[in-house]
């Protein structure tokens, strides 16, 4: 009988195939109390399992095909580093000692502690890093429990053309599974920003995550259809449904090859307006994806990722190397490097920073506020960015500005960093552009004042929406209120675009809204000329731009802005998207 289920689609495309079920994620673990004299043996058993886990990861790393995106080995290296970190190599040992318990249980306890820390984090990307902890711990527990062979050892012939069904897929397993020609996958856990989801998107493999209890409803060898965009799953489809989805699959493939032809083509509207399309990156390795779509440059380099998953902070030299790598590999295309956006809840182990965890971390000491409080951390970053500017066009972007005083303090520190580099006789671009993110309502309302002092503005809609609507962007309970087209949000975006026009200051948008195909025409109509987004959205957005006429969209956008009725706003936006404008 046909059965329909719905999860969260994380990568576009349709997959049709038979299920291969796997058990990869968290295990059911019980606690055993050990006699004291067996504790040293248990500790030895634990360390032996750690060694095997490391060896497995090293083997996986060696087997990564050349065709895999370069960020894949970064996932594996992160897991290797985690195994060496005292939080996973020493703390469980202490737990075994203190509780006289089995190693599996000690790992479970430590996993819970670490997961809680990650769950408190404000950034959705970092929050899903808790999955990495779970994946690493599970790998060691499987070894301790001598469970059946790991999923990566399943023969390729059993995976080709199949749809994987698992409780969860660790990125290290995903690397191997996804290079065996699988058609798609479904997991019961995981989020849209998990490494596995990122990998699936970069490889164009349709996937669905967060389909709770999927393994209860779906069976090995059953034929299913998954729609990676809508999150729809159809099990045991009838002929009619199969035909419908096969057509959708063919249409999508055609659409993709059409998109590929847009690579390198100008991003210009029908009324001949040039629109800049930049990419957002998090690590130097992301440049591969940027090049794959020939983005005009990097509009947001989230540098805080250099500081995560490690026990020390990268110093000036290490940051310089990373920034220079990005700048050089872009061959003259501009790179906008955002200064640190770490928050009170995102302290990095061993950084030496102190501070209490506040109840409202999003409103606390994060981003530029933290940087100004801790110049010893901030100034080396400014110097590293400045030094990288000797190798190609670089811009500095300041996150979370809320008043002009903060800005003048940052400008003062940039001057001091320049002075020191001059003394050291190190090269940099003395005229480096400095811009600010408009992501706090106060900054949007004062956008003209910021524009007078800055070389460019960039609208961070992820935070702008959060702060305008007073909803925590990571709190599932208020997620339903997160609305990019709330009239107040649109007014603030319009104010910022207008301030840019008035002062002749370029305005870009680098929040998720800029890569969301539903809002491109509205933003074009509002006068936005620069967009920065995840590379995977870029060609789709370019297609919309090439099919749009900003002159005809502008009056409709004005109508949207005059409206305060959400339903009407949505209707008008849909009209903009449907019409041949
Ligand atoms: C934003 O807030 O829109 C943004 C781009 O910054 P982040 O998502 O890194 O906070
Ligand atoms: Mg932000």
């Amino acid at each position: 009988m046909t059965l329909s289920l719905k999860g969260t689609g994380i990568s576009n495309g349709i997959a049709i195939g038979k299920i291969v079920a796997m058990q990869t994620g968290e295990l059911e673990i019980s606690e055993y109390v050990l006699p004291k004299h067996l504790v040293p043996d248990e500790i030895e058993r634990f360390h032996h399992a750690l060694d095997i886990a490391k060896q497995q990861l090293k083997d996986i790393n060696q087997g990564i095909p050349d065709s895999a995106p370069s960020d894949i080995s970064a996932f594996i290296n992160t897991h290797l580093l985690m195994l060496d970190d005292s939080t996973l190599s020493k703390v469980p040992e202490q737990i075994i000692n203190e509780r006289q318990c089995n190693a599996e249980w000690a790992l479970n306890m430590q996993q819970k502690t670490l997961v809680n820390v990650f769950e408190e984090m404000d950034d959705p990307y970092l929050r899903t890093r808790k999955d990495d902890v779970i994946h690493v711990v599970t790998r060691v527990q499987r070894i301790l429990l001598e469970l059946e062979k790991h999923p990566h050892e399943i023969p390729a012939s059993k995976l080709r053309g199949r749809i994987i069904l698992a409780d969860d897929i660790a990125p290290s397993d995903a690397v191997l599974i996804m290079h065996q020609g699988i058609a798609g996958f479904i997991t019961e856990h995981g989020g849209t920003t998990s490494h596995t989801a990122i990998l699936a998107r970069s490889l164009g493999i349709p996937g669905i995550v967060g389909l709770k209890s999927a393994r209860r409803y779906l069976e090995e060898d059953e034929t299913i259809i998954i729609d990676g965009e809508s999150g729809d799953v159809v099990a045991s489809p009838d002929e009619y449904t199969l035909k419908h989805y096969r057509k959708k699959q063919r249409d999508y493939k055609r659409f993709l090859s059409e998109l590929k032809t847009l690579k390198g083509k100008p991003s210009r509207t029908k009324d001949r307006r040039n629109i800049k399309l930049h990419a957002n990156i998090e690590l130097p390795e992301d440049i591969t994806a940027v090049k794959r779509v020939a983005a005009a440059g990097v509009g947001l380099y989230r540098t805080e990722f250099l500081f995560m998953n490690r026990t020390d902070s990268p110093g000036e030299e290490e940051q310089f190397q990373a920034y220079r790598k990005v700048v050089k590999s872009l061959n003259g295309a501009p790179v906008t490097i955002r200064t640190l956006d770490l928050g009170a809840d995102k302290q990095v182990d061993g950084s030496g920073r102190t501070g209490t965890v506040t109840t409202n971390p999003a409103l606390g000491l994060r981003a530029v506020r933290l940087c100004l409080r801790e110049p010893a951390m901030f100034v080396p970053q400014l110097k590293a960015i400045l030094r990288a500017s000797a190798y190609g066009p670089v811009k500095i972007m300041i996150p979370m500005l809320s008043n002009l005083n903060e800005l003048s303090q940052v400008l003062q520190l940039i001057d001091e960093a320049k002075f020191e580099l001059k003394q050291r006789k190190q090269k940099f671009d003395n005229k480096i552009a400095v811009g600010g993110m408009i992501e706090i309502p106060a900054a949007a309302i004062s956008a003209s004042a910021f524009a007078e002092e800055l070389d460019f503005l960039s609208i961070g809609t992820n935070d702008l929406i959060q702060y305008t609507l007073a909803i925590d962007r990571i709190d599932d309970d208020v997620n339903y209120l997160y609305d990019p087209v709330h009239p107040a949000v649109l007014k603030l975006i319009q104010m910022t675009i207008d301030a840019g026009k008035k002062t002749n200051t370029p305005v870009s948008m680098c929040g998720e809204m800029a890569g969301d195909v539903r809002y491109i025409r509205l933003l074009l109509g509002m006068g936005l000329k620069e967009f920065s987004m995840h590379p995977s959205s870029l060609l789709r957005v370019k297609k919309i731009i090439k099919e749009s006429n900003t002159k005809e969209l502008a009056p409709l956008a004005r109508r949207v802005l005059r409206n305060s009725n959400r339903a009407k706003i949505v209707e008008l936006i849909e009209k903009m998207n449907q019409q041949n404008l």
Side-chain angles (χ1 to χ4, degrees), residues 326-360:
V326 171
V327 174
K328 281 176 88 170
S329 62
L330 276 176
N331 301 323
V335 181
T336 307
I337 305 181
R338 179 174 76 179
T339 58
L340 272 172
D341 190 6
L342 286 170
D345 60 325
K346 292 188 227 158
Q347 298 291 357
V348 181
D349 275 348
S351 64
R353 287 195 294 282
T354 55
T356 48
V357 175
T358 56
T359 42
N360 287 311

Side-chain angles (χ1 to χ4, degrees), residues 338 341 366 400 437 439 460 462-463 473:
R338 179 174 76 179
D341 190 6
R366 65 172 278 209
M400 290 275 300
M437 287 192 68
E439 46 187 351
N462 307 341
D463 278 314
R473 73 196 237 195

Side-chain angles (χ1 to χ4, degrees), residues 76-86 309-310:
I76 313 283
N77 287 331
T78 303
H79 284 200
L80 270 166
L81 280 175
M82 286 166 86
L83 284 173
D84 272 330
D85 194 90
S86 62
N309 281 327
R310 55 189 293 160

Side-chain angles (χ1 to χ4, degrees), residues 393-455:
V394 169
K395 301 177 194 182
I396 300 180
M397 183 158 76
I398 321 295
M400 290 275 300
L401 285 168
S402 66
N403 63 49
L404 289 172
N405 183 32
E406 278 170 340
L407 176 58
S408 60
Q409 287 182 64
V410 173
L411 295 177
Q412 170 75 26
L413 288 175
I414 294 175
D415 279 346
E416 282 170 29
K418 284 183 177 175
F419 181 76
E420 197 177 323
L421 292 184
K422 272 185 199 150
Q423 299 234 303
R424 284 198 222 150
K425 299 204 174 358
Q426 276 171 322
K427 285 196 228 134
F428 61 90
D429 173 9
N430 201 21
K431 294 211 175 94
I432 193 165
V434 180
M437 287 192 68
I438 302 295
E439 46 187 351
I440 294 180
I445 295 165
S446 329
S448 305
F450 280 103
E452 300 281 359
E453 307 293 324
L454 286 162
D455 299 308

